[in-house]
């Protein structure tokens, strides 16, 4: 696959997870109203031992971080004439996140966060993805700035841009993070895969605890 198609797939797969999250919130609001919806959002499932809000917050922590890194690296490649080979890699620290709080207990805050990250992916798509000639106006003329070959080169650099992914490998409070070399593309793929897993857990909660139809 071309770098353009790979990057487009990475963007669209993460965006699809976010749209699924948003759609479920809309269904809950339509069926139960905003006040009861917030109670259901935070209700723990006896099967999963977690709430929809907890799964949303956890997977959003990952997707948002990867989106921001991709956006930052996209900005660094805005000029083909500048060399970025010596730039220090960015680091994604997946385990430095805030558990609890409004992002998993407040539907409105969760919804705002989802749409803010959708906006990041929409901007990435607008800036990076090569469109057909008929779509140039929708892309604000962005395709006119670079040839197709130049755009492929930019996207390949973005996908392969070196970054560090930092993890804790146990729940021991004394455990230290380790940093592994990765790439922007790999982490966008990981976050989409990770998001799919958590949406599967959300489906169990929605069906078996909240009583929604499959």
């Amino acid at each position: 696959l071309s770098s353009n198609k790979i990057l487009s797939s990475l963007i669209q797969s993460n965006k699809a997870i976010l749209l699924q999250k948003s759609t479920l919130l809309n269904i809950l609001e339509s069926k139960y109203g905003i006040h009861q919806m917030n109670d259901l959002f935070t209700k723990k499932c006896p099967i999963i031992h977690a709430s929809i809000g907890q799964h949303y917050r956890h997977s959003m922590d990952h997707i948002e971080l990867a989106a921001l890194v991709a956006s930052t690296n996209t900005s660094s490649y805005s000029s083909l004439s500048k060399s970025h080979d010596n730039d220090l890699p960015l680091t994604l620290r997946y385990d430095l996140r805030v558990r609890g709080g409004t992002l998993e207990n407040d539907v409105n805050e969760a919804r705002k966060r989802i749409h803010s990250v959708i906006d990041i992916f929409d901007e990435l798509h607008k800036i990076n993805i090569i469109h057909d000639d008929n779509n140039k106006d929708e892309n604000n003329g962005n395709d006119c700035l670079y040839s197709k070959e130049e755009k492929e080169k930019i996207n390949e650099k973005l996908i392969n841009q070196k970054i560090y992914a930092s993890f804790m490998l146990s729940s021991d409070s004394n455990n230290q993070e380790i940093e592994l070399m990765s790439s922007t593309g790999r982490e966008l793929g990981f976050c989409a895969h990770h998001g799919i897993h958590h949406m599967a857990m959300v489906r169990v909660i929605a069906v078996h605890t909240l009583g929604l139809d499959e």
Side-chain angles (χ1 to χ4, degrees), residues 24 45 47-52 55-56 194-209:
L24 178 56
C45 171
I47 301 172
I48 304 297
H49 303 292
S51 66
I52 289 177
H55 280 282
Y56 269 34
H194 179 256
I196 290 169
H197 161 73
H198 281 279
M199 287 307 294
M201 298 297 100
V202 166
R203 177 180 174 275
V204 173
I205 299 170
V207 172
H208 294 281
T209 300

Side-chain angles (χ1 to χ4, degrees), residues 45-85:
C45 171
I47 301 172
I48 304 297
H49 303 292
S51 66
I52 289 177
Q54 288 174 314
H55 280 282
Y56 269 34
R57 190 271 308 155
H58 176 78
S59 60
M60 285 298 301
D61 286 346
H62 289 66
I63 293 176
E64 182 179 53
L65 191 56
L68 290 171
V69 167
S71 179
T72 300
N73 282 337
T74 293
S75 298
S76 76
Y77 289 124
S78 59
S79 173
L80 284 172
S81 62
K82 181 180 177 183
S83 173
H84 300 276
D85 292 339

Side-chain angles (χ1 to χ4, degrees), residues 52-128:
I52 289 177
Q54 288 174 314
H55 280 282
Y56 269 34
R57 190 271 308 155
H58 176 78
S59 60
M60 285 298 301
D61 286 346
H62 289 66
I63 293 176
E64 182 179 53
L65 191 56
L68 290 171
V69 167
S71 179
T72 300
N73 282 337
T74 293
S75 298
S76 76
Y77 289 124
S78 59
S79 173
L80 284 172
S81 62
K82 181 180 177 183
S83 173
H84 300 276
D85 292 339
N86 295 322
D87 285 358
L88 293 174
L90 297 171
T91 299
L92 287 81
R93 287 192 153 82
Y94 287 122
D95 288 319
L96 294 184
R97 55 183 186 268
V98 178
R99 294 167 175 82
T102 57
L103 294 175
E104 65 181 53
N105 294 311
D106 188 312
V107 168
N108 288 327
E109 290 302 314
R111 183 177 266 153
K112 288 177 186 177
R113 188 186 194 191
I114 290 166
H115 287 284
S116 71
V117 181
I118 287 174
D119 289 343
I120 294 173
F121 281 116
D122 282 342
E123 186 67 15
L124 282 171
H125 191 274
K126 184 177 75 173
I127 292 172
N128 290 84

